[in-house]
Amino acid sequence: MMTPTLLLTLALAQAEPSLLEYSVSSETTESVPPEDFQVTAFEPGQTLYLGVDEANLRATAAADGAVVQTLMLGTRVRVVAAGTRAKVGEYVNAWYQVAVEDAKAPKGSAPVTGWVFGNTLTPFRFEADLDGDGELEVATVVMSNDFKARVRVLEPNVKPPRRVSSVDVPVASESYGSGKGGPAEVKLVAAKKAGMALLMVDSRPERCGDFVTSYVSYTVPEKKKGVLGKAKLALELGGLSDPPTIATFKVSFQPAAKRAQVTRTSVEEDEKGRERKNTRRELYQWQDGVFAEVKP
């Protein structure tokens, strides 16, 4: 049973806009101007979270700005102001002035403010017992510099710098031709439903017929407490919605057996416009953080 604190945390994590995008309609990005990237823009007043650990809060909107404070993964911040778009390292994004919302700060004290680059911010923060050891981990999702969704899981009782495990999962490209990246929506799948807690990363671009759904696990050998585990891509499913070809899938979990059943349905039209529908089922068994297909 989830505690009131956990329910509140999940509600806060999903109350803000639930889509994160980083894409470009070109395979080669070196000469693409920053304004041609599709990047999720955040607005003043939004509540967001740090999607990286040991992030530097800077005094100015610059990569060499003085460090005001170092923030751990999952820290809650409120956007104060947005700067102009720029390229920092391999990322294109904007600088944001944020106020750190510290629940432990003295009542009535002014929040600490500073600047962070937009690629470190996310609307996705989850706090849940992902590895089944009875302790709550913190998970976030940001977009990587190679246009994938990067899931990070932090073990709060492990000291930095080795307290975070991460895994990159694919997102569906926004472009019909060449292009990289796309949108991502993230939800928590409860252990009661799936047999283990999972993060579901769903990517369904409006401008493209391809879509992909990935499930991410986090496991620790023998469920040892205070030990950094490993985030893994547990299951990846792809589909197509591009008439006359439609290929969809539905996932149903069998929590007691720790299995996942995938029902795939494809519909195609022949030369005369007649539809041909085909349905097949696949069974996957949970093993060491991954769903492996069970062959007939």
Side-chain angles (χ1 to χ4, degrees):
M1 179 181 295
M2 291 188 291
T3 65
T5 300
L6 176 55
L7 288 171
L8 177 60
T9 301
L10 295 178
L12 289 172
Q14 297 183 35
E16 297 294 332
S18 58
L19 193 67
L20 194 63
E21 180 171 356
Y22 188 51
S23 62
V24 65
S25 58
S26 174
E27 288 292 338
T28 305
T29 60
E30 288 79 5
S31 59
V32 178
E35 57 270 20
D36 286 353
F37 285 71
Q38 296 291 329
V39 180
T40 298
F42 305 123
E43 301 294 333
Q46 270 189 255
T47 296
L48 299 169
Y49 305 91
L50 267 298
V52 301
D53 196 30
E54 300 291 289
N56 289 323
L57 183 71
R58 299 188 181 275
T60 58
D64 58 355
V67 177
V68 176
Q69 189 173 331
T70 301
L71 306 175
M72 72 181 294
L73 184 142
T75 298
R76 180 177 171 173
V77 298
R78 175 175 49 84
V79 177
V80 176
T84 57
R85 189 175 292 192
K87 185 174 184 179
V88 175
E90 297 297 320
Y91 286 95
V92 170
N93 216 301
W95 284 94
Y96 290 92
Q97 186 182 34
V98 299
V100 180
E101 299 192 348
D102 186 358
K104 297 180 181 179
K107 188 176 181 180
S109 62
V112 177
T113 61
W115 293 83
V116 293
F117 200 52
N119 71 297
T120 67
L121 294 173
T122 179
F124 301 121
R125 180 193 189 276
F126 303 90
E127 190 172 352
D129 183 6
L130 297 172
D131 56 4
D133 66 354
E135 297 179 336
L136 301 181
E137 288 78 39
V138 175
T140 62
V141 181
V142 295
M143 303 304 289
S144 71
N145 65 331
D146 56 351
F147 303 93
K148 295 180 180 180
R150 178 163 294 166
V151 179
R152 289 188 173 97
V153 179
L154 178 144
E155 279 283 359
N157 294 322
V158 176
K159 295 182 180 180
R162 297 183 59 82
R163 63 180 178 185
V164 174
S165 178
S166 66
V167 63
D168 290 354
V169 302
V171 295
S173 175
E174 290 278 13
S175 175
Y176 279 99
S178 62
K180 294 182 177 181
E185 183 179 8
V186 189
K187 295 180 180 179
L188 178 69
V189 181
K192 183 178 181 180
K193 178 179 180 179
M196 70 297 296
L198 300 167
L199 291 176
M200 183 180 76
V201 182
D202 200 23
S203 181
R204 297 173 183 265
E206 294 182 359
R207 300 179 290 276
C208 178
D210 294 320
F211 56 92
V212 59
T213 298
S214 300
Y215 293 87
V216 172
S217 68
Y218 174 74
T219 58
V220 174
E222 301 177 3
K223 299 182 180 180
K224 293 181 179 179
K225 294 184 178 181
V227 176
L228 178 62
K230 188 170 184 179
K232 298 180 181 180
L233 176 56
L235 182 63
E236 178 187 335
L237 303 168
L240 177 65
S241 180
D242 187 16
T245 301
I246 306 293
T248 60
F249 54 82
K250 181 180 179 181
V251 181
S252 57
F253 293 101
Q254 302 169 6
K258 291 192 174 182
R259 289 184 171 182
Q261 180 175 281
V262 179
T263 302
R264 297 184 184 270
T265 303
S266 62
V267 179
E268 295 185 10
E269 289 186 2
D270 59 20
E271 296 83 358
K272 297 182 179 180
R274 294 175 298 190
E275 290 187 349
R276 291 184 298 175
K277 184 176 181 180
N278 180 55
T279 299
R280 63 185 175 92
R281 291 177 176 83
E282 301 166 349
L283 189 63
Y284 294 83
Q285 180 66 55
W286 175 261
Q287 183 178 2
D288 192 26
V290 176
F291 283 105
E293 186 174 3
V294 178
K295 298 296 184 180

